[in-house]
Amino acid sequence: MASWAALSPSIVEYFEGEDSYRCGYCKNESGSRSNGMWAHSMTVQDYQDLIDRGWRRSGKYVYKPVMNQTCCPQYTIRCRPLQFQPSKSHKKVLKKMLKFLAKGEISKGNYEDDPMEPTMEDTVAGDFGLINKLDIQCDLKTLSGDLTESFDSEEKKKGKSPKKGESNEFIQSQDIEEKLGSGEPSHPVKMPMAPKPGKGADLSKPPCRKAKEIRKERKRLKLMQQNPAGELEGFQAQGEPPSLFPPKANKSNQPKSLEDLIFESLPENASHKLEVRVVRSSPPSSQFKATFQESYQVYKRYQMVIHKDPPDKPTVSQFTRFLCSSPLEAENPPNGPDCGYGSFHQQYWLDGRIIAVGVIDILPYCVSSVYLYYDPDYSFLSLGVYSALREIAFTRQLHQKTSQLSYYYMGFYIHSCPKMKYKGQYRPSDLLCPETYVWVPIEQCLPSLENSKYCRFNRDPEAVDEGRSKDPDRLQVFHKKAIMPYGVYKKQQKDPGEEAAVLQYARLVGQTCSERMLLFRN
């Protein structure tokens, strides 16, 4: 695990141009457009900065929709958990779970039509295309000749990135050899998005909150900090711990908090027991390895029943590549969450067996939801909604030690696809302006989105992208075992198309990331 004091840099391969593919939302055969790069490794800070510029990862592929050209613009959305209050529909799902755990009751009615739980068509086809392309184009073969030759067995000195303005070349460290020598492809791999299914809500507005209620909520959150069970243990067992939220006389004007609803006490003779376990998926922890096969079998059933995959299609390789492999470096800074930063699986254990898995990234400022899969036999529990509420509660818990970690990223919001609007009901939430990369409350964005698929949300016509690439020559390039500024690298190149690709990359990732990340060039 990387130490906080000596993090090695992110290493990416950018794929020039734009990719067109079949849209999983409107079914346009070539309407979906994105830029992409392969991340051999990535620090959590770099990924945080990238998703704050509209990027998103699927496995080790990191992509950014071309917002003003793609048929269904995908806006990065984040929820503000510290101010979140569950809606009536959210409470309905939480109470349904409590009844099932306490008495084994299964709610009557056609749960598949519940507006909180999207039907099969709502888990759009984008992930089918993604998995297929991963299988076809990302078989784990050796790297290209140029890349392999960069990492022979000769002794290498520990290298450091050049300071601004320096033109020296640096011999690269063993760390980078290990990252790039992973056997993963160094050729263009164009992926459509893999949206997260099953995260829905009704259209009811969030309740108005008084200052008194907000103060009481803060007091409850402070109690969580005193939980002796640790960062993860406090959110493991359903119905635990009663001491975390002491019994109170609930007044009619005092709504129950999310934690009150999740951890409501169960009778001693409860019919079922639910635990939520957080295990590191990359690099795989011992707990992750021990439960890998069981977790994979849940995924396989999910793909076969929900996505109608044939039995031989959801392979172990596909599962690993799509939902287990991650470029994110595991980091454990002293002021970070006890579990550290990086990629994790949040496993839902019912009576000793896994029934659902939420794939998440824990980053410096947020918990980022990647994907959810579940045992179709338990669809009646609205696990998509339930897991989203648990992830919001988990974010609030991590905030207690790491105060800057205070957001829950839900992936992309697609207003032009009616069935994908549900993410906007976890409020308060914000959408990312695709031109200036500032966050705007979703309520301010919706009127514009009703009139146009593509919108600039920043109302200041003079505002620009403050993080834009201002000095491409300071961009860091990794070429022939050496790190150098782009200003040095471009003097060695004769290909006229080279500069266009690098400048496009710099524009999309911004100045800060272009100076920190290493852009691999053949």
Side-chain angles (χ1 to χ4, degrees):
M1 184 171 295
S3 69
W4 187 249
L7 288 176
S8 50
S10 303
I11 307 170
V12 299
E13 288 183 73
Y14 179 69
F15 305 138
E16 182 181 2
E18 299 164 358
D19 183 39
S20 301
Y21 51 86
R22 185 176 187 270
C23 179
Y25 304 103
C26 69
K27 314 305 180 185
N28 186 315
E29 288 300 322
S30 60
S32 194
R33 301 178 69 86
S34 68
N35 298 103
M37 57 187 175
W38 190 265
H40 290 276
S41 69
M42 184 167 286
T43 67
V44 292
Q45 185 61 61
D46 283 340
Y47 185 53
Q48 176 74 67
D49 290 347
L50 286 173
I51 63 174
D52 285 338
R53 291 184 64 82
W55 292 81
R56 196 80 184 158
R57 81 171 182 88
S58 282
K60 291 190 173 186
Y61 182 75
V62 188
Y63 61 98
K64 185 183 190 301
V66 184
M67 296 291 283
N68 60 351
Q69 297 180 30
T70 192
C71 55
C72 296
Q74 301 134 58
Y75 298 91
T76 302
I77 182 171
R78 72 178 186 186
C79 172
R80 285 176 258 152
L82 303 187
Q83 293 82 40
F84 175 82
Q85 276 288 336
S87 67
K88 289 182 179 179
S89 293
H90 294 147
K91 292 176 182 178
K92 176 183 173 183
V93 170
L94 294 174
K95 289 176 181 177
K96 178 167 58 175
M97 176 65 81
L98 286 171
K99 286 181 180 179
F100 173 71
L101 296 174
K103 302 178 182 179
E105 290 183 8
I106 298 176
S107 299
K108 295 181 180 180
N110 186 3
Y111 55 83
E112 290 184 354
D113 291 335
D114 186 338
M116 291 287 292
E117 188 67 14
T119 57
M120 186 188 311
E121 289 74 24
D122 298 329
T123 58
V124 296
D127 51 352
F128 303 145
L130 169 74
I131 295 172
N132 290 339
K133 289 198 173 190
L134 278 168
D135 280 341
I136 294 169
Q137 300 192 37
C138 296
D139 289 334
L140 300 182
K141 298 177 181 178
T142 58
L143 296 171
S144 67
D146 287 342
L147 188 55
T148 305
E149 289 173 8
S150 298
F151 305 109
D152 50 27
S153 58
E154 68 184 59
E155 283 287 315
K156 300 180 179 66
K157 291 185 179 181
K158 187 77 174 179
K160 295 183 180 179
S161 296
K163 296 180 181 178
K164 295 177 182 179
E166 288 185 356
S167 61
N168 306 54
E169 294 190 2
F170 292 82
I171 302 300
Q172 187 48 40
S173 69
Q174 184 68 25
D175 288 343
I176 295 184
E177 175 180 355
E178 292 172 355
K179 292 175 185 176
L180 284 171
S182 62
E184 293 182 349
S186 62
H187 57 277
V189 184
K190 301 296 186 180
M191 317 277 184
M193 73 200 67
K196 180 174 184 178
K199 299 281 185 181
D202 70 354
L203 299 177
S204 62
K205 295 181 180 180
C208 181
R209 302 184 67 206
K210 298 179 181 179
K212 182 179 178 182
E213 295 171 7
I214 294 174
R215 287 196 299 271
K216 288 185 176 181
E217 179 65 19
R218 287 175 180 165
K219 186 176 180 180
R220 274 195 200 89
L221 291 172
K222 286 182 179 179
L223 289 173
M224 295 170 63
Q225 196 170 13
Q226 302 167 7
N227 174 26
E231 284 290 326
L232 300 181
E233 299 299 324
F235 273 85
Q236 283 194 348
Q238 178 68 37
E240 290 184 8
S243 60
L244 197 59
F245 303 105
K248 296 182 180 182
N250 285 312
K251 298 180 181 180
S252 58
N253 66 343
Q254 176 60 48
K256 286 187 177 181
S257 73
L258 179 61
E259 288 79 10
D260 290 333
L261 293 164
I262 290 176
F263 298 110
E264 188 169 317
S265 297
L266 294 172
E268 291 184 6
N269 61 344
S271 298
H272 301 285
K273 179 183 179 183
L274 178 69
E275 293 180 282
V276 179
R277 303 177 187 173
V278 180
V279 298
R280 184 177 288 280
S281 55
S282 179
S285 65
S286 57
Q287 299 96 323
F288 180 83
K289 292 176 181 177
T291 57
F292 179 88
Q293 278 300 324
E294 183 173 357
S295 183
Y296 162 66
Q297 290 301 326
V298 175
Y299 169 76
K300 185 174 182 180
R301 290 205 65 223
Y302 175 81
Q303 289 296 123
M304 290 168 59
V305 175
I306 302 299
H307 293 313
K308 307 302 181 185
D309 278 1
D312 60 342
K313 188 176 180 182
T315 63
V316 171
S317 175
Q318 175 205 77
F319 170 67
T320 302
R321 206 172 292 140
F322 180 41
L323 296 175
C324 305
S325 294
S326 168
L328 300 184
E329 296 287 315
E331 300 175 18
N332 264 326
N335 62 339
D338 287 352
C339 56
Y341 296 118
S343 297
F344 298 82
H345 280 195
Q346 206 165 32
Q347 302 172 337
Y348 292 77
W349 289 75
L350 181 68
D351 302 330
R353 57 186 291 259
I354 299 174
I355 64 165
V357 176
V359 182
I360 61 173
D361 293 330
I362 300 179
L363 304 174
Y365 307 129
C366 73
V367 170
S368 175
S369 178
V370 179
Y371 204 74
L372 173 80
Y373 59 93
Y374 56 86
D375 186 333
D377 288 347
Y378 295 92
S379 294
F380 64 88
L381 290 173
S382 300
L383 290 169
V385 179
Y386 184 77
S387 66
L389 296 173
R390 291 292 296 236
E391 288 171 6
I392 289 172
F394 183 57
T395 305
R396 285 154 65 129
Q397 185 188 17
L398 296 181
H399 171 77
Q400 296 313 300
K401 180 181 178 183
T402 309
S403 59
Q404 73 271 19
L405 202 165
S406 54
Y407 296 102
Y408 174 57
Y409 284 48
M410 296 176 282
F412 289 133
Y413 173 80
I414 303 98
H415 190 79
S416 57
C417 180
K419 293 182 178 180
M420 294 302 293
K421 292 183 181 181
Y422 58 84
K423 293 179 183 180
Q425 308 311 317
Y426 291 83
R427 297 190 183 181
S429 58
D430 309 300
L431 297 183
L432 186 67
C433 176
E435 294 182 9
T436 62
Y437 303 111
V438 297
W439 294 99
V440 181
I442 192 170
E443 294 86 354
Q444 296 180 23
C445 304
L446 294 180
S448 300
L449 288 170
E450 287 295 327
N451 296 323
S452 174
K453 287 184 178 182
Y454 174 74
C455 298
R456 171 193 167 107
F457 300 136
N458 193 326
R459 295 180 178 179
D460 180 0
E462 303 298 322
V464 297
D465 170 18
E466 295 296 339
R468 67 191 182 280
S469 175
K470 303 179 182 71
D471 187 356
D473 281 357
R474 291 186 352 215
L475 177 151
Q476 296 298 298
V477 175
F478 182 68
H479 179 62
K480 292 185 177 179
K481 307 178 187 177
I483 299 173
M484 64 191 79
Y486 177 63
V488 175
Y489 170 77
K490 68 180 180 181
K491 294 177 182 177
Q492 307 173 11
Q493 303 307 308
K494 298 180 180 180
D495 182 0
E498 180 83 1
E499 185 170 14
V502 174
L503 293 180
Q504 184 183 56
Y505 161 82
R507 176 177 59 83
L508 294 172
V509 304
Q511 186 69 33
T512 300
C513 282
S514 72
E515 288 188 48
R516 281 199 311 244
M517 302 193 303
L518 301 184
L519 175 64
F520 173 79
R521 304 304 291 174
N522 282 331

